[in-house]
């Protein structure tokens, strides 16, 4: 690195170090994980050949930090969202209830929901248009299957079949995320 970049790097650590660490600590449980993520972010910044080429260094740092937090969250298999499940039968706890839960004071839940919605949207994009639209209208827009059939002028059985295929694909596609959370 050149002298200018060294100075810039040092200034960036001074300027953003405590802010980023606080941001990370608010989203991960373990202090060790927060420090590891912080170290990864600084390492990635140090690998840039010219920091001055970044238009908004702060935005770049926070984007990298969010990605590292997400990576850390996805790697954790030994700490499922057990606190949210509490005592009782885990099988009876519907994922829909978890996704609709208030995440205002729970950064881990917010991160899980963000990851889930991101993966759901990717999986929906893989579906044929007719299956995707039936699923979206029914599950996200709260239209009945009969309403969808009437709108599209398709037979109700065709709409039911499309929804079934969409659900089958989504279950298969999201199973890894489900298992990763040990939920």
């Amino acid at each position: 690195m050149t002298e200018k970049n060294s100075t810039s790097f040092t200034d960036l650590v001074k300027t953003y170090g405590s802010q980023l660490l606080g941001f990370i600590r608010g989203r991960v449980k373990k202090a060790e994980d927060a420090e590891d993520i912080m170290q990864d972010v600084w390492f990635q910044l140090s690998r840039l050949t010219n920091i001055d080429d970044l238009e908004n260094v702060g935005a770049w740092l926070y984007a990298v930090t969010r990605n590292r937090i997400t990576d850390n969250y996805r790697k954790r298999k030994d700490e499922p969202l057990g606190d949210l499940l509490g005592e009782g039968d885990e099988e009876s706890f519907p994922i829909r209830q978890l996704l609709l839960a208030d995440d205002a004071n729970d950064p881990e839940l917010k991160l899980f929901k963000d990851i889930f919605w991101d993966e759901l949207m990717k999986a929906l994009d893989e579906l044929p248009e007719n299956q995707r639209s039936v699923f979206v209208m029914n599950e996200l827009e709260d239209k009945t299957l009969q309403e969808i059939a009437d709108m599209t002028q398709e037979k109700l059985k065709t709409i039911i079949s499309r929804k079934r295929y969409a659900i089958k694909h989504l279950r298969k596609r999201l199973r890894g995320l489900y298992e990763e959370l040990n939920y």
Side-chain angles (χ1 to χ4, degrees), residues 40 68 70-78 180:
D40 287 345
R68 294 293 180 210
T70 301
D71 292 345
N72 178 65
Y73 185 76
R74 286 180 175 160
K75 289 178 187 175
R76 289 186 321 164
K77 293 186 179 181
D78 57 335
E180 184 176 314

Side-chain angles (χ1 to χ4, degrees), residues 37-125:
I37 291 168
M38 186 80 256
Q39 185 176 12
D40 287 345
V41 171
W42 292 132
F43 177 73
Q44 190 163 346
L45 180 67
S46 72
R47 295 185 62 205
L48 292 178
T49 56
N50 193 356
I51 296 171
D52 295 329
D53 287 345
L54 294 175
E55 287 184 33
N56 186 339
V57 176
W60 184 89
L61 285 169
Y62 276 94
V64 170
T65 301
R66 278 190 299 276
N67 290 340
R68 294 293 180 210
I69 291 168
T70 301
D71 292 345
N72 178 65
Y73 185 76
R74 286 180 175 160
K75 289 178 187 175
R76 289 186 321 164
K77 293 186 179 181
D78 57 335
E79 294 180 26
L81 297 167
D83 296 342
L84 293 169
L85 296 174
E87 298 296 320
D89 184 13
E90 292 180 2
E91 294 295 320
S92 67
F93 190 85
I95 197 160
R96 183 178 215 154
Q97 183 179 348
L98 180 67
L99 292 173
L100 297 176
D102 180 23
D103 61 9
N105 295 321
D106 190 342
E108 189 173 340
L109 175 59
K110 180 172 180 1
L111 185 60
F112 166 74
K113 288 168 69 173
D114 290 345
I115 292 169
F116 175 82
W117 285 110
D118 183 49
E119 292 299 317
L120 176 63
M121 292 304 136
K122 288 178 187 174
L124 283 172
D125 286 342

Side-chain angles (χ1 to χ4, degrees), residues 31 94 153:
Q153 299 178 348

